[in-house]
Amino acid sequence: MRKVLVFVFMTLSILLLSQEKLLDLSFFQTDIREALSQLSYEIGKPILMDSTVRGYVTLEISGVDIKKALDLILLPYGYQWTELDGVYFVGTADPGSENFMYFARTYLYRTSGYDSSKLIALLPDFMKKYVSTSEVDPTLVVINAPPKIASKVAETLSRIDVPKREVVVEVKIVEVDEATLKKWGIGWKYEEVEGEKGLTLNLIDAILDIIYQAPTSKILADIEASITDGSAKLLADPKIRILSGQSGTVSAKTKRSYVQIQNNKKVTKTVELGVEVTVTPTVLRNGEVVLSVKTSVSNALETNREVPDVVTHSLDGAVRVKIGDTITAGGVGFDTYTQSTEKVPFLGDIPVLGYLFRKEIYSKTHKEVLVFVKCVEVGDVR
């Protein structure tokens, strides 16, 4: 029985000693060093201060432990405290201070795929001094700070470290002549039509400004039919994955070689012709996507010269779309020349003298390159 009583007494003694004393103190314009000395006296433990600790305290605390009391007193000045072997140490948590090592801890934050230097650049200036990059892993942010500051830094990083998103974009490039455009009777403008989406088409040098309000499916069906019967030409129809904020390019180009005479020698010159479309999607928080599209069309201006002139038309713009929407990003018009020969029957075929009875005719045809962009899918990068 006596042994049991002794054990209970020792247990209670340990529990009482382990409980931290709750403090009730009042300060009015008290020197902060004096206030910390009073805390030290109340808890019976030393509180050491470095030379940077300066200021005055006006504060009333009631029923709080030593840790909370230190937080309340030091908060206005940004001072930090740490406990080392039963001794409290108060000072400035400045990485340039010799005593910083006593306050700081090292933590690692791994980004969701971004370069750590780019995330650090977005942090508030007062946080940047506590972070650095890793030479081994570019996605690692090294936080060297007191625990409470490190927690705030990590919280801020997590807010700006939004996972990279990618967009699946389908780009359809169609070449159509002016006659087919007139047959369709369109110059499109994006518009909501009784719940159905219209399309927008801006035509350069085309002077077509008619509102086309047919549903997307009808427009695409007309295009597919024109491609099938040959009145429209499909130049490209790929699907590409693009990171949000990055650019992807679809190119439908060819190189043509021409021979000309220079200094009595044949010289071959090459020109690049075709269409190039650059798409830059940006995913918004609500899941919609801003599509920035730049279209460039290079065409040979066929003349009676050996090497034709290359004419380039370009168009760029941006539109906000939802997943599944197909928009017409733009139309670029250009003129092309085709060569044909008119001749007097039979006489035009006579060798040598036949050229007197025939002539070369260059006819101009106006064409449009239409670019359709469909936002197929949006997802996080894995």
Side-chain angles (χ1 to χ4, degrees):
M1 185 68 179
R2 182 179 298 176
K3 290 182 179 180
V4 174
L5 291 175
V6 171
F7 175 77
V8 172
F9 176 77
M10 292 179 63
T11 302
L12 291 174
S13 299
I14 293 173
L15 290 174
L16 290 173
L17 289 174
S18 63
Q19 289 182 348
E20 293 187 358
K21 181 180 180 179
L22 298 182
L23 302 172
D24 297 290
L25 296 170
S26 180
F27 304 105
F28 179 76
Q29 289 295 307
T30 305
D31 185 286
I32 192 171
R33 301 180 75 88
E34 182 180 335
L36 292 173
S37 296
Q38 189 172 345
L39 282 182
S40 175
Y41 174 79
E42 290 291 334
I43 64 174
K45 292 183 180 180
I47 298 179
L48 305 180
M49 297 158 272
D50 68 17
S51 59
T52 64
V53 179
R54 293 285 187 274
Y56 293 90
V57 178
T58 298
L59 178 68
E60 185 170 341
I61 55 179
S62 177
V64 299
D65 60 21
I66 180 60
K67 296 178 181 179
K68 183 64 174 179
L70 286 171
D71 287 341
L72 292 173
I73 292 174
L74 302 178
L75 178 64
Y77 296 97
Y79 296 129
Q80 298 291 320
W81 65 268
T82 187
E83 185 179 6
L84 302 171
D85 298 327
V87 177
Y88 291 94
F89 181 57
V90 176
T92 303
D94 189 336
S97 170
E98 295 180 355
N99 297 321
F100 183 70
M101 68 178 74
Y102 300 114
F103 300 106
R105 301 289 185 274
T106 300
Y107 305 90
L108 300 179
Y109 178 92
R110 187 174 298 281
T111 73
S112 60
Y114 290 101
D115 188 293
S116 58
S117 60
K118 293 182 178 179
L119 280 186
I120 291 174
L122 298 176
L123 287 174
D125 289 339
F126 73 91
M127 287 186 177
K128 291 179 181 177
K129 61 184 177 181
Y130 297 111
V131 295
S132 59
T133 58
S134 170
E135 295 182 0
V136 179
D137 189 342
T139 65
L140 209 59
V141 178
V142 181
I143 305 173
N144 194 31
K148 291 183 179 180
I149 294 179
S151 176
K152 289 296 183 182
V153 172
E155 180 183 349
T156 304
L157 285 171
S158 66
R159 289 180 179 274
I160 60 179
D161 182 23
V162 180
K164 286 186 177 181
R165 310 204 74 188
E166 66 177 4
V167 184
V168 178
V169 176
E170 183 179 81
V171 181
K172 187 187 294 290
I173 305 174
V174 180
E175 181 183 295
V176 61
D177 59 31
E178 191 173 28
T180 303
L181 270 182
K182 289 182 177 180
K183 178 182 175 182
W184 292 347
I186 60 173
W188 296 324
K189 180 177 181 181
Y190 189 91
E191 193 162 311
E192 294 286 342
V193 185
E194 296 181 356
E196 294 182 308
K197 294 183 175 60
L199 298 181
T200 302
L201 178 60
N202 298 315
L203 298 177
I204 289 182
D205 300 330
I207 319 181
L208 293 177
D209 192 25
I210 306 168
I211 297 178
Y212 186 73
Q213 298 182 337
T216 300
S217 57
K218 175 64 168 59
I219 296 173
L220 296 180
D222 288 345
I223 294 170
E224 293 297 334
S226 297
I227 293 173
T228 301
D229 65 27
S231 58
K233 182 180 180 181
L234 182 62
L235 302 180
D237 187 21
K239 285 184 181 180
I240 53 177
R241 290 181 177 270
I242 310 173
L243 288 176
S244 176
Q246 302 297 313
S247 297
T249 299
V250 176
S251 181
K253 290 189 174 183
T254 185
K255 290 183 178 181
R256 293 185 188 175
S257 297
Y258 297 87
V259 179
Q260 65 177 168
I261 306 298
Q262 291 183 354
N263 300 324
N264 297 322
K265 293 183 179 180
K266 289 185 178 181
V267 178
T268 301
K269 287 195 173 182
T270 302
V271 294
E272 189 174 60
L273 308 172
V275 185
E276 184 173 274
V277 179
T278 300
V279 182
T280 305
T282 302
V283 182
L284 305 178
R285 287 186 176 272
N286 63 358
E288 294 184 349
V289 179
V290 173
L291 287 177
S292 177
V293 183
K294 181 175 182 180
T295 304
S296 178
V297 178
S298 298
N299 183 60
L301 187 61
E302 303 288 357
T303 63
N304 56 0
R305 288 181 291 184
E306 295 168 329
V307 179
D309 295 330
V310 177
V311 180
T312 301
H313 296 280
S314 61
L315 173 69
D316 64 85
V319 64
R320 185 168 174 169
V321 300
K322 296 179 179 179
I323 307 303
D325 283 356
T326 298
I327 59 104
T328 303
V332 179
F334 64 92
D335 294 325
T336 183
Y337 290 81
T338 56
Q339 180 182 355
S340 60
T341 303
E342 284 189 358
K343 60 184 178 179
V344 178
F346 303 111
L347 295 179
D349 296 325
I350 299 175
V352 182
L353 296 178
Y355 78 94
L356 297 173
F357 302 96
R358 63 176 180 263
K359 63 179 179 179
E360 303 295 328
I361 297 177
Y362 292 89
S363 58
K364 182 175 73 171
T365 303
H366 185 78
K367 293 190 175 184
E368 296 284 344
V369 172
L370 311 181
V371 178
F372 299 89
V373 181
K374 180 178 181 180
C375 187
V376 179
E377 179 184 352
V378 172
D380 294 340
V381 177
R382 297 179 180 178

